[in-house]
Amino acid sequence: MIKKWGLIWFGMIILSWGLIACSGGESDNSSNVEGESEVKLNFVHWVNEDVGKWEQLINEYEAENPGVKIESTPLVENMDTASYYKQLDLLASAGEKLDVVMFSTAYDLAKRVDAGLMAPINSFLDEEGIDINQTYKNSYSPIDGQYYGLPMKNVTTLVMLNKEHLDEAGLEIPTDWTWEDYKDYAKAMTTDEHYGSYLHSWHDVHSSLKLQGSKENNNLLKADGTSNTENPLVKESLKLRYQLEEVDKSSVPYSDILSQKLNYRQQFFTGEASMIPIASYMVTEWGSFTPDFEIAWAPWPKNNSDSEIYAGMGGDLIGIAESSEHKQEAYDFIRWMSTEGISDQGLWVPSWTEADLEKTLKKLVESTPKPEAIDMESLLYTLEVTNPTETFAPPSYYAEVIKEFSAEVERYLLGEQDIDTTMENIHKRVQAVIGSNK
């Protein structure tokens, strides 16, 4: 979260930036207003005004910070991040002076750090006395010892359940459970009318369920870029999915997902499946579906009953462009935007640990077509008890790793090869990708 944009659109973007630059009257994005210096910061992102409600938010910031003007510029109108990054890279290569830049993932931020687009912010954090891991819940690992952005939106992996199906099976909403419990729940909720579970074709997540809940080494690669496919949790995850789909017959078969081109939203919201491991963006992003049942929420199942609850967290980040001539003002804005700003915006769950989570969730739920469909108690509990797994920005060739991994997983799930052959082939194919990219 791809259409190609042509030269006409690129010309419009360049023209819009030209107008922004010209409106300031000076190359350093500052102008004189009644004898006082006014700092102008251009803030680029992909969220259009209809969704982001930026104007009201920026007016609030400017009122609290006289002498600073924020120019909100969505580089695309269709909310497509792939197109956004193309435009961002074009602007950067053309030498446009940027101030504040938003990213959808730490991976996309890291790519622009490597390209020299972003400025480190450690000195600002040190001066303010901030521990980013304490201030923000979905913090990311530093890049060569430096941080280049602040987490803004928090997206937590969790399990979404059909409360009606839970009640019919006589089950409580899980609050602390394991993958063995998940299997039991899936079997208990499976009937002639629906499956108890649904796992989509995202092999890096739904075929790596146990790996995803590990506090560390929860990726197909390790932080040093070496393969993590020999981690026992990789094999255990594949066996878990196979057990659910082919042995217990309690999760939608992978063959059906492929042949019928199934949609995970459709499967859950129409009651075809009772639960799905997913992420908290589904609190509001129902697509064209409105459920006729109450949605319950549960933490990501644990690998061991005596461990803490860990789950992957991610979300948008906001940073300072290296080309900015007003880095202090830009830092002040991204600190506000990643704390009070995103809280006031009321569109997403903030990563800021001091945010009023219950208040934010109520506002989010009220924005849905059917607020009563959300079980608020289980949602709030799940987000509060979940700890973030350790993360890092994977190398640029990680997409190749996922592709090679997925090819072997598909053969296993379709019954074309056994688990040992699958694991052997995965090790070889992933290692080949790593070797070819050194």
Side-chain angles (χ1 to χ4, degrees), residues 248-274:
D248 296 344
K249 307 293 184 182
S250 59
S251 194
V252 180
Y254 184 69
S255 57
D256 287 0
I257 295 171
L258 288 185
S259 63
Q260 299 176 35
K261 298 180 180 179
L262 297 181
N263 177 287
Y264 69 95
R265 284 186 173 89
Q266 177 271 335
Q267 286 291 291
F268 180 78
F269 287 122
T270 62
E272 296 293 324
S274 303

Side-chain angles (χ1 to χ4, degrees), residues 52-63:
K53 313 299 182 187
W54 299 109
E55 184 177 353
Q56 179 179 344
L57 198 66
I58 287 172
N59 287 341
E60 178 183 342
Y61 183 78
E62 291 177 346

Side-chain angles (χ1 to χ4, degrees), residues 221 225-227 229 397 400-401 404-405 424-438:
L221 295 179
T226 59
S227 174
T229 58
Y397 54 84
E400 296 178 59
V401 170
E404 298 300 308
F405 174 76
E424 182 180 353
N425 291 345
I426 286 173
H427 300 330
K428 290 179 180 178
R429 294 179 71 156
V430 170
Q431 195 57 51
V433 172
I434 296 171
S436 66
N437 281 277
K438 281 189 176 180

Side-chain angles (χ1 to χ4, degrees), residues 103-107 109 131-142 147 149-157 280 311-318 338-339 342 348-354 383 386-393:
F103 295 91
S104 56
T105 69
Y107 171 70
L109 168 63
D131 181 344
I132 195 170
N133 297 292
Q134 297 296 322
T135 305
Y136 300 95
K137 195 165 187 180
N138 65 335
S139 56
Y140 61 101
S141 298
Y147 288 104
L150 296 176
M152 206 165 76
K153 179 172 69 174
N154 179 278
V155 177
T156 300
T157 50
S280 57
M313 295 186 187
D316 302 343
L317 304 100
I318 190 167
S338 62
T339 54
I342 189 171
W348 302 289
V349 176
S351 176
W352 186 35
T353 55
E354 296 181 28
L383 295 181
T386 302
N387 299 294
T389 57
E390 295 181 7
T391 61
F392 65 94

